[in-house]
Amino acid sequence: MKRKIGLIICLIIVLIFFLLTNRIDHQSNAKRLAEEQCILVVETPPSSYTSEMFKTKGYNPITKKPCECNHYNRWWSSYKNEIEVGDTIVKKKGELVFSIHKKDSIISHKYKL
């Protein structure tokens, strides 16, 4: 009986440890993602590329200079099939919102911890 109680206590401690370390990883990942920025009008949509990473080419709507956005996290890649030529993608530094501005609507995706 004492052995079972000891085993249960050990399992609870291990579970708490994994929950806390998992939460810390999500927070550090969110901080890193918040620092990224990309604002461009899409000329080559990300679905045109075969790699797993998010990659798109276009131009900055303010300066009109060519630019490209590359992102190695799955967050942006989850939405690459929603993006078409002529859309404007917006990920502002310090925010955890990735937006796709279409001609008649705006689709906003918030990063979830």
Side-chain angles (χ1 to χ4, degrees):
M1 185 67 160
K2 289 181 183 179
R3 191 173 189 172
K4 287 183 181 181
I5 293 173
L7 182 60
I8 291 171
I9 291 173
C10 286
L11 288 173
I12 290 172
I13 290 171
V14 168
L15 179 65
I16 291 170
F17 173 77
F18 282 117
L19 289 174
L20 290 175
T21 56
N22 191 29
R23 181 72 178 160
I24 292 168
D25 288 342
H26 285 300
Q27 289 174 347
S28 63
N29 191 40
K31 286 180 184 177
R32 184 177 51 79
L33 291 172
E35 291 303 307
E36 296 177 346
Q37 178 173 313
C38 180
I39 301 173
L40 73 81
V41 177
V42 176
E43 292 179 321
T44 306
S47 58
S48 299
Y49 298 97
T50 57
S51 70
E52 290 295 317
M53 72 174 225
F54 181 92
K55 181 178 180 180
T56 186
K57 291 184 180 180
Y59 62 90
N60 182 301
I62 298 166
T63 65
K64 307 295 186 214
K65 291 183 180 179
C67 62
E68 72 178 49
C69 291
N70 295 303
H71 190 271
Y72 297 95
N73 190 292
R74 288 184 287 166
W75 179 35
W76 294 11
S77 292
S78 300
Y79 314 116
K80 66 184 187 179
N81 290 329
E82 297 177 15
I83 302 169
E84 301 171 344
V85 173
D87 293 348
T88 302
I89 57 173
V90 178
K91 167 52 183 85
K92 294 180 182 177
K93 190 172 186 171
E95 295 181 4
L96 288 172
V97 178
F98 177 77
S99 299
I100 304 163
H101 296 235
K102 298 199 169 275
K103 290 180 177 30
D104 59 352
S105 61
I106 298 174
I107 303 168
S108 295
H109 298 284
K110 293 181 182 179
Y111 181 76
K112 296 175 185 166
L113 292 176

